[in-house]
């Protein structure tokens, strides 16, 4: 299930975060060939992994099987610093907008037969649960345009920030995806239950929820 | 140039969001693709081999395609020889039909399909492969006698395809509205709570015969064969309070 890790509780997640950085390196460097991110110690950590980043970890029996990172749009993030050419107008910025990056799932737990995997569904559900509870309404995504149809079918309101561009051998588009209760309902319907995806989060977030 | 293309795309998305029928979506698609020379659009879930013509046709979600050609294409089973369909099943990159020509040049069946399409003024086409939430493969094709797609606009057409397809798919599989009388609604609620016809007749102070009659009406209206299916279908239609 999904654990939310921020500066507040990262101290008690050292072992899991270590696995998360290694999972990121395995997926993005070794598998997808993003060589700019290669690190000699096999831990993929960048300048955005600072005190303001919010990590979401899918953990099963102490093993990190899925990961994603949320960055506040009010501070420098990938779209503004690394991929600004994907956004043709003004950057979407605000306390209710966060950027979704580094989504990854271990190979064994990935989409089978092209259906959104249960781990993938829970990671997406975690964003929506967290967003609905904390006032976040919209996420910025840089992704393969192929994902667009699925997001729309999951009741995200997806708005392109630019046209798809070729980066290396990948086609990539920047969008914002707004969500609400209907999105959560659809994700629950697809996975067939309404059990919350997020099982642990920092105290501050829990106070926000109460 | 690019900024205008994005604005055109955003205008298109807003128009498709408001469209209430597949015909309106097709109109919006043809309007935005006409400057490139396209006049026809066809989109649907790709049928699996062995499907009958009727099943193939029921997979279509957007149809602004020469009728005579569709009839011929589906009744003759051309779909399974169509090189554009084969490519959609194999790759997720959008493509121009002309790019496939070298792959089937010496094979009679696909050559015939593409040749006959040309006779129906569909000589030039662009197809966007897609994968639905359920993992099904889908395709969206624009075509006409003559069209050009500058490479910078391929991405725009890919976006247009996905928005139009998602919207049309949502409309097609939206459960048809079911109108129930207040009495039917009452009895349905009690059925959902697991009460028998006799129990419901006691609660509502009516005859058991009447409850049985209305339960049968409900089965017919919800196209269900038994009580469990009636309640399940009603849940999907949001009829249970």
């Amino acid at each position: 299930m999904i654990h939310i890790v921020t500066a507040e509780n990262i101290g008690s997640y050292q072992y899991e975060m270590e696995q998360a950085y290694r999972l990121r390196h395995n997926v993005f460097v070794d598998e997808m060939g993003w060589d700019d991110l290669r690190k000699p110690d096999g831990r993929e950590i960048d300048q955005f992994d600072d005190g303001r980043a919010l990590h979401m970890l899918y953990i099963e029996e102490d093993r990190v099987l899925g990961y994603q990172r949320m960055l506040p749009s009010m501070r420098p993030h990938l779209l503004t610093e690394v991929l600004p050419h994907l956004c043709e107008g003004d950057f979407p910025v605000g306390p209710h907008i966060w950027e979704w990056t580094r989504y990854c799932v271990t190979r064994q737990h990935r989409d089978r037969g092209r259906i959104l995997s249960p781990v993938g569904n829970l990671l997406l559900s975690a964003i929506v649960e967290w967003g609905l509870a904390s006032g976040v309404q919209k996420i910025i995504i840089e992704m393969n345009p192929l994902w667009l149809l699925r997001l729309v079918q999951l009741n995200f309101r997806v708005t392109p920030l630019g046209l798809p561009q070729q980066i290396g051998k990948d086609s990539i588009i920047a969008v914002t995806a707004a969500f609400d209760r209907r999105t959560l309902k659809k994700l629950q319907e697809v996975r067939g239950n309404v059990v919350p995806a997020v099982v642990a989060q920092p105290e501050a977030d829990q106070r926000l929820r109460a | 140039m690019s900024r205008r293309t994005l604005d055109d795309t955003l205008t298109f998305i807003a128009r498709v969001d408001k469209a209430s029928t597949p015909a309106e979506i097709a109109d919006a698609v043809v309007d935005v693709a006409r400057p490139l020379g396209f006049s026809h659009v066809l989109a649907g879930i790709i049928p699996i081999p062995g499907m009958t013509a009727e099943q193939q046709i029921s997979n279509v979600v957007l149809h602004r395609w020469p009728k005579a050609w569709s009839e011929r294409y589906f009744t003759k089973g051309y779909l399974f020889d169509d090189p554009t369909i084969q490519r959609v099943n194999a790759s997720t990159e959008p493509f121009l039909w002309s790019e496939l020509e070298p792959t089937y040049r010496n094979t009679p069946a696909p050559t015939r399909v593409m040749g006959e399409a040309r006779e129906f003024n569909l000589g030039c086409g662009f197809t966007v492969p897609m994968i639905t939430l359920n993992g099904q493969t889908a395709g969206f094709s624009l075509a006409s006698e003559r069209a050009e797609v500058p490479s910078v606009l391929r991405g725009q057409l890919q976006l247009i395809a996905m928005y139009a397809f998602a919207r049309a798919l949502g409309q097609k599989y939206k459960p048809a509205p079911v109108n129930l009388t207040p009495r039917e609604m009452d009895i349905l609620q009690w059925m959902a709570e697991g009460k028998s016809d006799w129990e419901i007749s006691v609660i509502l102070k009516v005859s058991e015969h009447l409850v049985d009659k209305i339960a049968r009406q409900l089965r017919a209206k919800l196209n269900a064969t038994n009580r469990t299916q009636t309640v399940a279908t009603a849940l999907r239609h949001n009829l249970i309070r």
Side-chain angles (χ1 to χ4, degrees):
Chain A
M1 285 305 185
I2 310 288
H3 296 244
I4 295 181
V5 178
T6 65
E8 189 181 330
N9 62 347
I10 201 162
S12 35
Y13 279 94
Q14 280 171 358
Y15 169 69
E16 289 82 3
M17 284 307 297
E18 188 64 28
Q19 291 186 57
Y21 294 132
R22 288 184 191 285
L23 175 62
R24 279 165 50 167
H25 202 277
N26 285 344
V27 172
F28 295 106
V29 180
D30 301 335
E31 206 178 303
M32 295 174 69
W34 297 6
D35 271 319
D36 300 351
L37 304 181
R38 186 176 293 283
K39 293 280 156 54
D41 65 357
R43 299 155 77 235
E44 195 275 296
I45 300 180
D46 68 11
Q47 72 267 37
F48 303 111
D49 291 303
D50 58 14
R52 295 296 299 277
L54 185 145
H55 311 271
M56 295 191 181
L57 284 66
Y58 178 89
I59 304 174
E60 221 176 77
E61 292 172 1
D62 296 334
R63 289 179 53 224
V64 176
L65 305 178
Y67 172 88
Q68 64 200 2
R69 179 180 65 182
M70 310 302 298
L71 298 173
S73 65
M74 310 283 280
R75 308 226 316 153
H77 52 282
L78 259 77
L79 185 67
T80 56
E81 308 305 303
V82 184
L83 300 163
H85 56 287
L86 292 180
C87 182
E88 290 181 22
D90 297 334
F91 292 117
V93 170
H96 60 292
I97 307 174
W98 284 57
E99 185 185 57
W100 178 35
T101 53
R102 296 292 194 268
Y103 166 85
C104 55
V105 176
T106 59
R107 198 190 280 276
Q108 302 91 302
H109 294 83
R110 263 186 230 160
D111 309 14
R112 287 231 179 87
R114 299 167 148 190
I115 294 171
L116 182 66
S117 67
V119 178
N121 181 312
L122 287 167
L123 282 164
L124 269 173
S125 300
I127 297 176
V128 178
E129 286 177 15
W130 162 79
L132 291 175
S134 54
V136 174
Q137 297 156 0
K138 209 184 255 191
I139 51 177
I140 300 165
I141 317 172
E142 299 91 23
M143 63 180 188
N144 186 301
L146 204 58
W147 268 89
L148 201 141
L149 178 62
R150 284 180 177 186
L151 289 172
V152 174
Q153 286 190 282
L154 285 169
N155 289 336
F156 284 91
R157 285 186 311 285
V158 186
T159 308
L161 296 171
L163 296 175
Q165 314 250 337
Q166 208 66 29
I167 297 183
K169 57 183 190 324
D170 303 308
S171 175
I172 184 160
I173 182 175
V175 302
T176 60
F179 52 86
D180 55 28
R181 296 238 146 252
R182 289 169 50 248
T183 320
L184 187 62
K185 210 178 147 207
K186 185 71 189 179
L187 283 160
Q188 292 170 337
E189 183 191 314
V190 169
R191 70 171 192 266
N193 69 61
V194 296
V195 181
V198 178
V199 294
Q201 59 196 308
E203 293 288 323
D205 279 33
Q206 275 168 16
R207 280 197 299 276
L208 207 62
R209 277 178 177 224
Chain B
M1 154 88 179
S2 174
R3 179 71 225 187
R4 228 194 89 207
T5 310
L6 178 64
D7 288 342
D8 289 348
T9 311
L10 294 172
T11 308
F12 169 82
I13 294 168
R15 183 169 166 193
V16 163
D17 274 344
K18 282 198 230 78
S20 49
T21 63
E24 286 175 38
I25 298 169
D27 286 341
V29 169
V30 171
D31 283 349
V32 77
R34 193 174 286 122
L36 302 175
F38 291 115
S39 45
H40 295 97
V41 58
L42 180 69
I45 310 274
I46 305 298
I48 49 175
M51 274 192 175
T52 64
E54 289 73 31
Q55 289 169 323
Q56 293 175 35
I57 291 165
S58 74
N59 273 18
V60 173
V61 300
L62 273 181
H63 188 279
R64 182 67 51 85
W65 214 238
K67 278 212 174 61
W69 172 236
S70 282
E71 246 162 61
R72 187 187 181 95
Y73 182 91
F74 288 114
T75 51
K76 295 205 168 204
Y78 280 0
L79 190 134
F80 303 111
D81 290 322
D82 185 339
T84 70
I85 300 288
Q86 282 159 13
R87 170 61 73 96
V88 167
N89 281 327
S91 157
T92 53
E93 288 295 312
F95 59 91
L96 278 164
W97 296 357
S98 57
E99 292 160 9
L100 301 184
E101 210 266 329
T103 66
Y104 64 83
R105 192 172 290 152
N106 299 315
T107 325
T111 304
R112 189 182 65 229
V113 173
M114 296 310 271
E116 287 187 25
R118 190 167 291 116
E119 290 166 29
F120 286 86
N121 299 328
L122 301 175
C124 190
F126 182 78
T127 296
V128 179
M130 292 174 283
I131 298 169
T132 69
L133 189 56
N134 301 334
Q136 294 159 306
T137 304
F140 174 103
S141 291
L142 295 166
S144 69
E145 254 180 302
R146 202 169 184 78
E148 263 180 71
V149 183
S151 59
V152 292
L153 294 187
R154 285 186 172 217
Q156 184 203 19
L157 292 183
Q158 192 181 18
L159 292 187
I160 284 167
M162 297 211 184
Y163 279 101
F165 184 78
R167 182 77 186 160
L169 196 66
Q171 285 176 354
K172 187 178 167 93
Y173 296 105
K174 194 162 52 188
V178 179
N179 288 316
L180 299 183
T181 64
R183 176 152 267 165
E184 285 168 342
M185 282 296 275
D186 263 357
I187 290 180
L188 181 62
Q189 307 306 315
W190 291 113
M191 282 168 66
E193 296 196 18
K195 304 287 187 207
S196 70
D197 283 359
W198 180 78
E199 288 168 317
I200 297 172
S201 76
V202 173
I203 294 165
L204 297 178
K205 300 189 175 68
V206 295
S207 72
E208 192 179 349
H209 175 74
L210 180 66
V211 177
D212 174 65
K213 187 182 145 215
I214 289 176
R216 263 184 285 163
Q217 277 168 226
L218 282 166
R219 281 206 290 278
K221 281 193 178 181
L222 292 167
N223 200 15
T225 50
N226 59 35
R227 211 173 179 88
T228 313
Q229 203 189 347
T230 303
V231 173
T233 310
L235 275 168
R236 205 160 43 245
H237 282 80
N238 258 332
L239 292 170
I240 310 283
R241 284 189 288 266

